[in-house]
Amino acid sequence: MTFTSRFDAISPLDSRFYGGDAQLYAALHPYLSEEGRVRAQAKAEAALARALAEEGIATTDAAEAIAAAADRVGAAEVYAEEARIGHDVRALVNRIREGVPEDARRFVHLGATSMDIVDTANAWRYREAVERVLLPRLGLLASRLIALAEGEADTPQAGRTHGQHAVPITFGFAIAEYVSRLGGRILFLQQTARALPGKLSGAVGAYNAPALLSKDPRALERRYLAQLGLGPARHSTQIVEPEAWSDLAHACVTTLGVMANLADDMRHLQRTEIAEIAEGFRAQQVGSSTMPQKRNPVSFENVKSIWKAFMPRVITTYLDQISEHQRDLTNSASQRFSGELLAATAYAATRLGASIDGIHIDRDRMKANVGMSKGGIVAEALYVLLAKHGHRDAHEAVRHLTLEADRGSRSALELAGQDPELRPILAKLTPEERKVLDQPEEYRGLASDVAKDVAREWRTKLAGVLPE
Amino acid sequence: MTFTSRFDAISPLDSRFYGGDAQLYAALHPYLSEEGRVRAQAKAEAALARALAEEGIATTDAAEAIAAAADRVGAAEVYAEEARIGHDVRALVNRIREGVPEDARRFVHLGATSMDIVDTANAWRYREAVERVLLPRLGLLASRLIALAEGEADTPQAGRTHGQHAVPITFGFAIAEYVSRLGGRILFLQQTARALPGKLSGAVGAYNAPALLSKDPRALERRYLAQLGLGPARHSTQIVEPEAWSDLAHACVTTLGVMANLADDMRHLQRTEIAEIAEGFRAQQVGSSTMPQKRNPVSFENVKSIWKAFMPRVITTYLDQISEHQRDLTNSASQRFSGELLAATAYAATRLGASIDGIHIDRDRMKANVGMSKGGIVAEALYVLLAKHGHRDAHEAVRHLTLEADRGSRSALELAGQDPELRPILAKLTPEERKVLDQPEEYRGLASDVAKDVAREWRTKLAGVLPE
Amino acid sequence: MTFTSRFDAISPLDSRFYGGDAQLYAALHPYLSEEGRVRAQAKAEAALARALAEEGIATTDAAEAIAAAADRVGAAEVYAEEARIGHDVRALVNRIREGVPEDARRFVHLGATSMDIVDTANAWRYREAVERVLLPRLGLLASRLIALAEGEADTPQAGRTHGQHAVPITFGFAIAEYVSRLGGRILFLQQTARALPGKLSGAVGAYNAPALLSKDPRALERRYLAQLGLGPARHSTQIVEPEAWSDLAHACVTTLGVMANLADDMRHLQRTEIAEIAEGFRAQQVGSSTMPQKRNPVSFENVKSIWKAFMPRVITTYLDQISEHQRDLTNSASQRFSGELLAATAYAATRLGASIDGIHIDRDRMKANVGMSKGGIVAEALYVLLAKHGHRDAHEAVRHLTLEADRGSRSALELAGQDPELRPILAKLTPEERKVLDQPEEYRGLASDVAKDVAREWRTKLAGVLPE
Amino acid sequence: MTFTSRFDAISPLDSRFYGGDAQLYAALHPYLSEEGRVRAQAKAEAALARALAEEGIATTDAAEAIAAAADRVGAAEVYAEEARIGHDVRALVNRIREGVPEDARRFVHLGATSMDIVDTANAWRYREAVERVLLPRLGLLASRLIALAEGEADTPQAGRTHGQHAVPITFGFAIAEYVSRLGGRILFLQQTARALPGKLSGAVGAYNAPALLSKDPRALERRYLAQLGLGPARHSTQIVEPEAWSDLAHACVTTLGVMANLADDMRHLQRTEIAEIAEGFRAQQVGSSTMPQKRNPVSFENVKSIWKAFMPRVITTYLDQISEHQRDLTNSASQRFSGELLAATAYAATRLGASIDGIHIDRDRMKANVGMSKGGIVAEALYVLLAKHGHRDAHEAVRHLTLEADRGSRSALELAGQDPELRPILAKLTPEERKVLDQPEEYRGLASDVAKDVAREWRTKLAGVLPE
């Protein structure tokens, strides 16, 4: 009736980010497309039929006939039936009923309320999307960051706070921050996806209908969910507890936040005046429709922008926490949008992973930048060493030196060497301590060690998620 | 490559709400689909070519050739070129260039930066979507509410605060609230849509390139925008001021909020125990896949739910207010999602309009509900009349009567009639005043007048928006 | 200079909700007031001094002198010094320095950056606030809900979906939902509070300064944090990883969401037409300044409203995830507001707990409400039993019966008994099955069992949090 | 009982930002403190008494006695009474009643519902806070930006997009962006504050009680509101239409957004590698507790951070749009927090204004930065001039030149001069056109004109808001 191509879509996810990436499209379609949604529900109906058979309520033949019919049902025909009767799950049930022998029909959906199917199907497909698509792509990004943290563990770089040079670090150390933060989020995301519950507790959660069919309706529920690898909710009404989904949304959004922060750092390191890294650029690629010289960090910008578009949506899950009594159904349309958040997270991970893979690192520039504020970047070391060796108000003394250095041509260190009060204390420094003052890039603490340790730690913790 | 039907979409807007409503689809597609987006940009390139000709920079022949070529360009071919060169607007330019004689090519996009096209095309298509789709549909909803406010202006209903009966109103008065609030939002929405600016100020807003072509580049900008019925931004950088779009988003979201509040009230009035209204229901319609008796307020629920899904997105526009220097481009992907908010507002207005059109009103039940708390619902009137006629602490006196009434079988009014202190004051009441106490549904103040006045007022104010 | 009473405050938390509740004030002040904030930082400086002594960098005498001086420092004097030098943590350091012998001064704050103190002090005081104030108050609420779930496990109530009667439950079952959801949030809140990390990794996280003082600066960090019962961040820059705090905020906000949903349900059950419960009301209490009869669910409303005020603030923690390079400091002011979220959660738990404690339950009305839609409330049972006993399209058959019942005076069940097709199937029902149709309140599935099981389960899981 | 100083507060607004700034405290206290809130409500009660007298319902003596008593009431005594009776407005009424002769008592609050007082008092005090505090402080900031735009209208600076040098502008032009955006927000803020309505329409908005007292209760309402300079809501229930407040909140938050963007730009221009501006720094000021050299943009950071803390709160106003029937009261606590948003906006304007006042501008560095990417920054000019003079694919030609320039030591311009195809076209350039290529800082379009024009325009538009 309506769509013939992705360009008919309003959502840029559909027309561009998911719809425009053939691999991502193929990976997510079974779980997050509307076709995938309907098929997951059909799969749940099949699981229900088999559970009814296992409990001796339906015959095995009926159950298998139902499962086979469910396997053949697609979105278009279900939507056509829904147009007639105005109820989506009943439409699915009718389509399955049509495909089975008459005496099996009464077992289709028997004992279930719509949400026993919908919530369960959602739990299954969201968990699958996370396990099969999001985690591998986040894992690939993590593995590239781990390699970078290790490979650049000894590359000096200016540490920056307030946008100002603070004290030196290494580039690998800077990357290790993201290994650690992204690693933490990956584990949290995995945990929240695996915690998604299903249900077969009927219209209000009290197993009213199932209890008419089975002596132990909670056993029936467990059988049903086991076929999809799910566990039951601790308590459910017509719906499962909404917190499980809200936790998953929080996991997605904070994962996007870590990626956005990394993208932002990369953008700034590519500033014309800083120029320590550059996003990869193809020979044919155009950076601007009017400025031919432009090579912009477009993928890093895109990841930040995707975060802007999707981060606020956690609010929707908080609104969906509130449902009157055993359900008010005002979470029906809103929850249909949940898959978009998973798709956006998968897309951002993919794009950022590719972008990190292609960055150019200018190590000479990094080192030069460390040196540019030489006087300042070791002021802390000067203060700490003076204090260590006995000065009673070293911070204030060095603060005055740096103010004086700002006004003149000599560095704070040079001024210290000429200060009658400080000179004798400076004379007490060990050669190693002195080296730190003279070669700023040596004042980097444990930066290299931390970079390597973090990389090693997460290679272990993310085993099973990182690509082999 | 990817999509063949709307069921391939992840966005439920695409697969279901917009994609599943043929009329809404046809109405919004020219403005909000990706195809519409690309074509609007081509339209802007045509307008630019003509403006260059008007200013004597290009020939008229070249301009018309460009306009004709622009008119033929579609999304699929532009996306194919973008895949090659990695820049969407340059891809559009290349496609138009291919369609014109060689000597006209250099005038395509001449002097413009991509955002001169993108921001301008967005201003055009969002304004058109509002004027041609959103306002008519909101107007239709408003007209139905106006009719309802007038038609039910005298239908007694219990006024409710805290979910408790307060004092009586009429159903038309209750609806008039939404006439007024929706009316206010419609005017605000119209105003914000008309305020969307375009631009032709070049790569950083300082007219660098245009100033190489024209003595008065601001005149060139005005010519360009005039063809699309737009005005220039007061100031622009690479982009127009983001506040204009944020205001429009706020207008959409608060309009959704008013509709959600109306939907919520309707839902509650349909509660089994209240039962004053009912959403229309077709004979074939199924309310629940397991409870055959169910007739649920599914459209009202849907509107509330759409609000939940889209309301938080204003946050994205606040994030897009912040763009470093003359633009940092982290608003690129996020702004692509803007059309979704307009589409959701149009959808909700359509669905709510249809739903209001079909509601069943149970006037007997409304009247009966007014009577059910007879003792309480006129306690205010009793207190005010006692005070008016001289009682010095009437509120406290009546409060005690209502506590006593709660414990016994007599109403507060009956108790007052037997109270030696109150009886003489009650004797001073005029017959009209007495009637208010004896017939609670008469204690409704100006409810009817307000309902009619509000209806009349907005019929005038919304002239041009309401259907004729 | 400014404040002399809580009524000078702009924040209603200060003037009313925390400032107006003497017990809550006393409980939260040590952790969440500005005085508490400064004292917690002084406590961290003391811990640092002792850690320096343990590592042999400072003498024990110096460390104890510093700890004693830190113990004496208060907010007013630190703020006075900050007004002079413009740096809050340095102001604290100066105040402590003033209180110690001259030769101990150089060890105050030695090796630390401000955020080593600030982030660590925040982790300590937020965890303490959760463990000592939030969890006990949430535990008290949970214990009351557990008692209610058990006590009302067999009290029949109408199950409601879409605001419509669905199938019967018990009131204890309805409460059990909140036992389970609140229980889950309590455990999550506890876990996120305990996961808050501290740090002593210096200005950019690479241990630059600490490495000048100690061979193993990570051991120094562990010693420092151990004194406050904290662990180190997996990786830190100038700041700890922001995700830990964002997780805690998410835990608070979703806990508020569960409480808001419970409050909403209670509000609706108190509606004039439903009247199944009532919030406690004191004899002197005034419900309305004009309607003397009013007894409103003001505490339930308040809890919902507190949720509205605080829920959006998770967004702030998402914004604070993004900090340029080793920190950009735009999280400084915003993070100062974090304590408000904890205080609001504590307040809501306290108020809701008191309110639940005082509710009046009208069991007769609950039962009467179950009966009011007799025909409908067992439609599901009728369909399932017909299907179970062989009917091939029972849902559709019963749906037609309910439509017919709506139009006439007989119930769907009566109509079924007269239907030639259905009568023989109905004859197959067991006496137990028949009872469910004839006495709707018996059609409640496992409602009682679930209520009791959930109560029992959470009594165990929350051991240590529930009051003894 | 509780507070004795601002350090007892949990809110950093109270303890630090408002409570720590004596001038801001004095300015905002009458409107936004809890004391101010109670006094504004007393003021509304006085206005009501006088309106009752004007309408002939109360005597003038009674009205003046009430007004005098209202003027004496303070927060502490009202709170004490509220503790007894559990209702805040009735507590106020009782306190006023105590202060008037017995025969005047019955006229206190007569005909009004609490929200007639609360909503009206809020409209009055929020409008006053905007007009008397926010606008003057925003006006001061605007006037400084206007002066800066004019003063630096001709100071060359690199225009930046994607963090990359794009084409040149002037610093005044960059500032003009904020003159325009801030100016627009100031007018919008003024307009939304002036649109805040009051009400005297009674318990459910239908004038039930007022109609018992007056033939024309809407005239009574107008008299009441006129005394506070307010107009009535177009329609009200127990409360005024929530959209008015939501619009004001949107105005505040988008104003904060403009300020945050300006602050961000200033932060980035202060980066060590860019160093074009610096925030003022006092001689005694400490930048870091460990890095003595630090001079950080702490005020700019603070403004960004305040935005993070308050921006999400618009969501609360959207939630408060939804109130069941004639009011559900779940907006009671949440709306108490509204004043915080106004206070935060006032604080940010004050702090940013002071910070802009003290910035140091390094014009030499700005010019040097323009030159640093000489080859690139005029690539657009080269392409446009080649196209203007007849080249048919100039963008692609120059793109290739810049790629070649990147690989070698010659600029794109030098390469163009040696290209056989381009040389003849370059020869056609006018001397003015050639100058633009040779002196990049001359390629700045209308930057100076726009800066001056924008400054002039807003000096006019903001007359009455700007300081004289």
Side-chain angles (χ1 to χ4, degrees), chain B residues 143-341:
Chain B
S143 74
R144 284 170 179 164
L145 293 173
I146 287 171
L148 206 52
E150 286 176 332
E152 308 296 330
D154 295 303
T155 308
Q157 188 185 32
R160 293 172 172 95
T161 59
H162 304 262
Q164 310 291 301
H165 286 193
V167 296
I169 54 170
T170 68
F171 185 49
F173 173 83
I175 295 297
E177 174 190 348
Y178 293 100
V179 172
S180 176
R181 290 173 63 192
L182 187 66
R185 289 297 100 184
I186 286 172
L187 294 183
F188 183 53
L189 183 58
Q190 187 176 49
Q191 174 192 323
T192 54
R194 289 181 178 173
L196 291 172
K199 75 175 286 264
L200 183 64
S201 58
V204 295
Y207 302 88
N208 303 54
L212 295 175
L213 301 169
S214 163
K215 289 277 175 228
D216 185 357
R218 288 185 280 197
L220 177 64
E221 182 180 47
R222 285 192 298 272
R223 285 186 195 275
Y224 165 57
L225 297 175
Q227 295 186 56
L228 301 164
L230 298 168
R234 292 181 300 227
H235 181 283
S236 53
T237 55
Q238 186 169 90
I239 51 177
V240 296
E241 298 181 359
E243 284 72 36
W245 165 249
S246 191
D247 288 348
L248 179 58
H250 172 71
C252 284
V253 156
T254 49
T255 302
L256 279 172
V258 172
M259 293 194 282
N261 197 167
L262 171 56
D264 245 15
D265 279 2
M266 294 295 115
R267 288 198 308 114
H268 287 302
L269 294 180
Q270 186 163 349
R271 278 176 171 273
T272 304
E273 291 87 353
I274 299 178
E276 297 184 358
I277 70 130
E279 195 172 315
F281 220 79
R282 291 174 294 123
Q284 287 187 308
Q285 193 172 340
V286 172
S288 156
S289 69
T290 187
M291 294 173 287
Q293 89 279 14
K294 281 289 210 152
R295 323 271 178 267
N296 297 319
V298 290
S299 288
F300 294 127
E301 289 160 356
N302 178 275
V303 168
K304 173 83 177 285
S305 200
I306 291 288
W307 169 80
K308 287 184 182 178
F310 286 88
M311 176 269 273
R313 301 192 186 186
V314 166
I315 296 288
T316 302
T317 75
Y318 294 153
L319 297 173
D320 280 340
Q321 276 193 280
I322 295 187
S323 190
E324 294 154 14
H325 312 303
Q326 285 67 51
R327 191 188 176 206
D328 66 16
L329 288 269
T330 67
N331 67 341
S332 179
S334 47
Q335 287 196 348
R336 288 178 184 270
F337 289 86
S338 304
E340 292 189 352
L341 188 48

Side-chain angles (χ1 to χ4, degrees), chain A residues 124-328:
Chain A
W124 176 81
R125 64 200 188 92
Y126 293 155
R127 193 204 57 208
E128 292 290 295
V130 169
E131 298 258 23
R132 294 180 191 275
V133 188
L134 274 72
L135 292 181
R137 281 155 194 256
L138 288 163
L140 185 59
L141 169 60
S143 74
R144 284 170 179 165
L145 293 173
I146 287 171
L148 207 52
E150 285 176 333
E152 308 295 330
D154 295 302
T155 308
Q157 188 185 32
R160 293 170 172 97
T161 59
H162 304 262
Q164 311 290 304
H165 286 192
V167 295
I169 54 169
T170 67
F171 185 49
F173 172 83
I175 293 297
E177 174 191 349
Y178 294 101
V179 171
S180 176
R181 291 173 63 193
L182 187 66
R185 289 298 101 181
I186 286 172
L187 295 183
F188 184 53
L189 183 58
Q190 186 177 50
Q191 173 192 325
T192 55
R194 290 179 177 172
L196 291 172
K199 74 175 285 262
L200 183 65
S201 59
V204 296
Y207 302 87
N208 304 52
L212 295 175
L213 301 170
S214 162
K215 290 280 176 223
D216 185 357
R218 288 186 278 197
L220 177 64
E221 183 180 47
R222 285 192 298 272
R223 283 186 196 276
Y224 164 57
L225 297 174
Q227 295 186 54
L228 301 164
L230 298 168
R234 291 180 300 225
H235 181 284
S236 52
T237 56
Q238 186 168 88
I239 51 178
V240 295
E241 298 183 358
E243 285 71 37
W245 165 250
S246 192
D247 288 348
L248 178 58
H250 172 71
C252 285
V253 156
T254 48
T255 303
L256 279 172
V258 172
M259 292 194 282
N261 198 166
L262 170 57
D264 245 14
D265 278 3
M266 294 294 115
R267 287 197 310 113
H268 288 303
L269 293 180
Q270 186 163 350
R271 279 176 171 274
T272 303
E273 291 88 352
I274 299 178
E276 297 183 357
I277 70 130
E279 196 173 314
F281 219 80
R282 290 175 296 121
Q284 288 186 306
Q285 192 171 342
V286 172
S288 156
S289 70
T290 186
M291 294 174 286
Q293 88 279 15
K294 282 289 213 149
R295 323 271 178 266
N296 297 319
V298 291
S299 289
F300 293 127
E301 289 160 357
N302 177 277
V303 168
K304 174 84 178 285
S305 200
I306 290 288
W307 170 80
K308 287 184 182 179
F310 286 88
M311 175 269 273
R313 302 192 185 187
V314 165
I315 297 289
T316 302
T317 75
Y318 294 153
L319 297 173
D320 279 340
Q321 276 193 283
I322 296 187
S323 191
E324 294 154 15
H325 312 302
Q326 285 67 51
R327 191 189 176 204
D328 65 16

